[in-house]
Amino acid sequence: DAGVTQSPTHLIKTRGQQVTLRCSPKSGHDTVSWYQQALGQGPQFIFQYYEEEERQRGNFPDRFSGHQFPNYSSELNVNALLLGDSALYLCASSLTGMLGNSPLHFGNGTRLTVT
Amino acid sequence: DQQVKQNSPSLSVQEGRISILNCDYTNSMFDYFLWYKKYPAEGPTFLISISSIKDKNEDGRFTVFLNKSAKHLSLHIVPSQPGDSAVYFCAASHHLGNKLVFGAGTILRVKS
């Protein structure tokens, strides 16, 4: 049973560039959330996708955008990269159900370094 | 505005003893609380959760206690094992499946 997979595992970009991170949810899950974890802090919610639409959004600028595909996989795009965007980006999946939702299952993350 | 706080950055416990990790929250809208464990170079792993209608939930060696009036929850690990050494995150949400608000984490070291 494949868990949440993210690619790439590491990435180095230059200020001002754009980056795309990818995520495949755990088998059977239909909802994908993205989190940013800075060093020494807990993960911070960026946004959540369900049925190919952004359902919730955290306090992140419009430079952060996403997409969910019909197969439930997802991408996180960040434009005009800043040094402060350097962090671990975590994707999490869950199942949205009529009787309640499942806890989030996280991938191992993508370590983004902006120089 | 830190809505979920883990005030102890680290905790060291002897193998076989009890580990108690604490978490405080400020938002009264939170009704679901979760604990995640994170090893280096891995993503957080779900451990145990509790809804606001309960005050205790137990799963093997792990027990979570919720004190709604104090807006406080704790995770008890008994007995502690060296493999429990990790960073533990407390998280809260308004309804399970909605966005999680995380604390900053507590590093647990279990000494053998």
Side-chain angles (χ1 to χ4, degrees), chain B residues 7 15 40 45 56 83 88 91:
Chain B
N7 291 319
E15 181 179 7
T45 302
K56 176 183 173 181
Y88 287 79

Side-chain angles (χ1 to χ4, degrees), chain A residues 82-102:
Chain A
L82 304 174
L83 295 179
D85 295 331
S86 296
L88 180 67
Y89 288 84
L90 293 162
C91 172
S93 72
S94 58
L95 178 64
T96 296
M98 293 296 289
L99 298 179
N101 305 323
S102 66

Side-chain angles (χ1 to χ4, degrees), chain A residues 4-113:
Chain A
V4 179
T5 58
Q6 292 187 243
S7 63
T9 54
H10 294 83
L11 203 50
I12 300 175
K13 290 285 190 178
T14 305
R15 268 181 304 175
Q17 285 188 317
Q18 178 263 345
V19 69
T20 298
L21 310 182
R22 295 177 174 82
C23 171
S24 291
K26 178 180 166 68
S27 177
H29 284 183
D30 57 6
T31 304
V32 173
S33 304
W34 287 92
Y35 288 78
Q36 179 196 66
Q37 185 179 13
L39 207 58
Q41 298 181 21
Q44 279 201 298
F45 176 74
I46 303 175
F47 41 53
Q48 184 182 80
Y49 278 84
Y50 173 67
E51 293 188 336
E52 301 179 50
E53 291 197 357
E54 184 181 288
R55 185 160 73 171
Q56 295 182 75
R57 188 177 183 93
N59 190 23
F60 279 81
D62 292 344
R63 298 186 298 107
F64 290 77
S65 63
H67 189 77
Q68 185 180 34
F69 299 94
N71 66 353
Y72 307 120
S73 67
S74 176
E75 287 181 351
L76 163 66
N77 300 293
V78 187
N79 294 323
L81 284 166
L82 304 174
L83 295 179
D85 295 331
S86 296
L88 180 67
Y89 288 84
L90 293 162
C91 172
S93 72
S94 58
L95 178 64
T96 296
M98 293 296 289
L99 298 179
N101 305 323
S102 66
L104 298 188
H105 290 252
F106 283 85
N108 289 336
T110 294
R111 172 71 62 187
L112 173 65
T113 303

Side-chain angles (χ1 to χ4, degrees), chain B residues 13-78:
Chain B
V13 170
Q14 198 66 36
E15 181 179 7
R17 306 295 291 269
I18 184 171
S19 295
I20 300 177
L21 297 104
N22 294 302
C23 179
D24 297 295
Y25 63 97
T26 57
N27 191 335
S28 300
M29 296 297 290
F30 290 147
D31 59 6
Y32 218 90
F33 304 89
L34 305 90
W35 285 93
Y36 282 82
K37 175 171 73 173
K38 187 178 186 301
Y39 293 118
E42 294 184 13
T45 302
F46 170 71
L47 264 181
I48 192 169
S49 64
I50 188 168
S51 77
S52 59
I53 62 173
K54 295 186 175 182
D55 54 20
K56 176 183 173 181
N57 188 26
E58 200 170 346
D59 184 2
R61 296 187 297 116
F62 302 91
T63 302
V64 56
F65 295 92
L66 175 61
N67 182 333
K68 287 188 293 292
S69 60
K71 292 191 175 68
H72 176 84
L73 64 155
S74 61
L75 174 68
H76 293 209
I77 306 174
V78 183

